[in-house]
Amino acid sequence: MNGVILTSLRRIATLGGDVLHGMKQSDEGFAGFGEAYFSRVSQGHVKGWKRHNRMTLNFVVASGQIRVGVRDDAAGETRYFLLGPDTPESHARLTIGAGLWVAFGGVAPGESVLLNLASIEHDPTESETMPLETFSWEW
């Protein structure tokens, strides 16, 4: 899907707790830094759909497990990604370019935490939302 990059991230085992890489300025998908924020989501709850017109999103799940859906209206395609720090294949950063719809849901028991490293500061005029039922959601 154009505008989406899934990047495997490094996990460094250390005594007392691992170091989980998130993003470096030299990484593919880095489009500048506007702000970083955390979003918490409970198991079985889905947040979305939202489309940013200028912002590039960089999602890294700090704890738990989150399923992310990305929809490209132009291609009529929706792809799903499972992110979380507890398995090597899902400790990854998902870069989502402007113009794509995104939703995400909590998979792990309890609460999961997603970090977004956004390319621009939050601006409520540059995005739009749709009810979850607008597009299909697959667990």
Side-chain angles (χ1 to χ4, degrees):
M1 175 181 291
N2 287 335
V4 177
I5 303 166
L6 184 64
T7 305
S8 293
L9 296 175
R10 192 163 170 218
R11 182 181 188 133
I12 303 166
T14 64
L15 187 62
D18 293 354
V19 173
L20 303 172
H21 278 210
M23 182 166 234
K24 298 182 297 227
Q25 185 178 15
S26 59
D27 286 346
E28 181 182 16
F30 181 80
F33 176 75
E35 69 176 359
Y37 66 84
F38 295 93
S39 185
R40 301 179 338 179
V41 61
S42 300
Q43 181 181 29
H45 185 81
V46 180
K47 295 183 177 185
W49 294 94
K50 188 168 195 169
R51 177 169 60 186
H52 289 275
N53 299 308
R54 296 189 331 261
M55 183 186 288
T56 296
L57 311 172
N58 286 286
F59 286 177
V60 178
V61 174
S63 69
Q65 198 168 48
I66 293 177
R67 185 166 174 80
V68 180
V70 181
R71 177 161 177 83
D72 180 348
D73 273 348
E77 177 185 10
T78 304
R79 288 191 56 200
Y80 294 90
F81 303 87
L82 190 61
L83 302 176
D86 295 328
T87 55
E89 63 275 2
S90 63
H91 178 52
R93 180 184 60 253
L94 184 62
T95 303
I96 304 161
L100 299 172
W101 290 98
V102 64
F104 59 90
V107 176
E111 192 172 73
S112 297
V113 179
L114 178 142
L115 167 64
N116 181 21
L117 300 160
S119 63
I120 63 173
E121 289 184 35
H122 175 73
D123 173 359
T125 67
E126 72 81 44
S127 65
E128 57 187 304
T129 60
M130 292 285 236
L132 185 61
E133 301 77 30
T134 305
F135 309 117
S136 65
W137 175 263
E138 297 174 11
W139 282 103

